[in-house]
């Protein structure tokens, strides 16, 4: 059960910088998660149109979007969140579990170098970046269970210099943390962080940790999760969600957030939603 937004509370958006990759070569030609089915047709042109609407939505909300050039033969490169974690200008790159995606990490590493990022490290452990890492403004929530190695959590702490809390995923449909949890508002000096998550995606112990850390969280249900509604992107006020996630949007609106809906159904055929397509460049 969730409470209504406290009287007088105003959600304040903050301007963000994002890195995205156009789905020029998008297709579903292999299976690395339960959402993927190579026998079902994929419309690359439609995927591009939906991706452009997501990008343009961010821009309309006042955010800056950088783009990396897609590479032939890397159809999942569109899911930019999996290729880097940036906090206070420090960058920890990625190391993919699936060999089909391994080459993506080097293309993103080169982009960071070309953009002048100096504090850049590449992981030695399997680490699928913001797919499994969520920054709350104080701690880095770190998922494991299907993709990112538990040892990568300690490596992230050493590389990024922030405290890390490990969370275990148990449902293969929600194979990355960002399919089951996202940060609505980062912690400030005066307010705690707020998150939205789908409890059934996590182990019992992890659920207890989340309840303790975020007693005022917005809880998603199966309907929200099954359309990748929990793969959202929030700037502290505006929350970008898949167009099907209207019930979750209503719950967020009751807390003072402004749901912004986008149709990204074609990319969902590979198990991706708004957040999967969006890497945040913090400072």
């Amino acid at each position: 059960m969730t409470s209504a937004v406290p009287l007088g509370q105003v959600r304040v958006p903050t301007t963000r910088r994002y890195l995205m990759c156009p789905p020029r070569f998008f297709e579903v030609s292999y299976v690395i998660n339960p959402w993927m089915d190579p026998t079902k047709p994929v419309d690359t042109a439609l995927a591009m149109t939906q991706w452009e609407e997501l990008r343009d939505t961010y821009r309309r909300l006042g955010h800056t979007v950088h783009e990396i050039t897609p590479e032939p033969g890397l159809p999942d490169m569109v899911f930019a969140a999996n290729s880097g974690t940036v906090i206070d200008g420090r960058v920890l790159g990625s190391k993919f579990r699936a060999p089909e995606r391994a080459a993506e990490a080097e293309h993103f590493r080169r982009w960071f170098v070309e953009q002048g990022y100096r504090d850049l490290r590449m992981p030695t452990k399997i680490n699928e970046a913001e797919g499994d890492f969520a920054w709350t403004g104080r701690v880095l929530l770190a998922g494991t269970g299907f993709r990112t190695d538990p040892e990568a959590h300690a490596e992230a702490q050493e590389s990024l210099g922030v405290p890390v809390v490990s969370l275990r995923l148990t449902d293969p449909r929600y194979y990355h943390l960002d399919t089951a949890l996202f940060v609505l508002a980062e912690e400030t000096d005066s307010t705690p962080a707020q998150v939205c998550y789908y409890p059934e995606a996590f182990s019992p112990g992890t659920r207890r940790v989340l309840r303790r850390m975020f007693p005022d969280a917005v809880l998603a249900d199966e309907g929200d999760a099954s359309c990748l509604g929990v793969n959202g992107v929030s700037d502290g006020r505006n929350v970008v969600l898949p167009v099907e996630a209207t019930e979750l949007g209503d719950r967020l609106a009751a807390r003072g957030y402004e749901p912004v809906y986008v149709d990204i159904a074609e990319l969902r055929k590979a198990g991706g939603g708004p957040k999967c397509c969006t890497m945040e460049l913090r400072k």
Side-chain angles (χ1 to χ4, degrees), residues 43-54:
D43 187 334
T44 303
L46 178 57
M48 179 67 79
T49 297
Q50 292 178 348
W51 178 89
E52 289 172 344
E53 177 58 27
L54 175 63

Side-chain angles (χ1 to χ4, degrees), residues 2-13 184-185 194 216-218 234-239 241 248-260:
T2 58
S3 58
V5 60
L7 184 64
Q9 181 171 355
V10 177
R11 303 292 181 188
V12 179
L184 289 164
Q194 187 168 59
D216 197 36
V218 176
S234 175
D235 63 13
R237 175 179 171 80
N238 304 291
V239 184
L241 299 170
L248 179 58
D250 289 345
R251 243 172 272 133
L252 292 170
R255 300 291 197 98
Y257 296 98
E258 185 71 32
V260 180

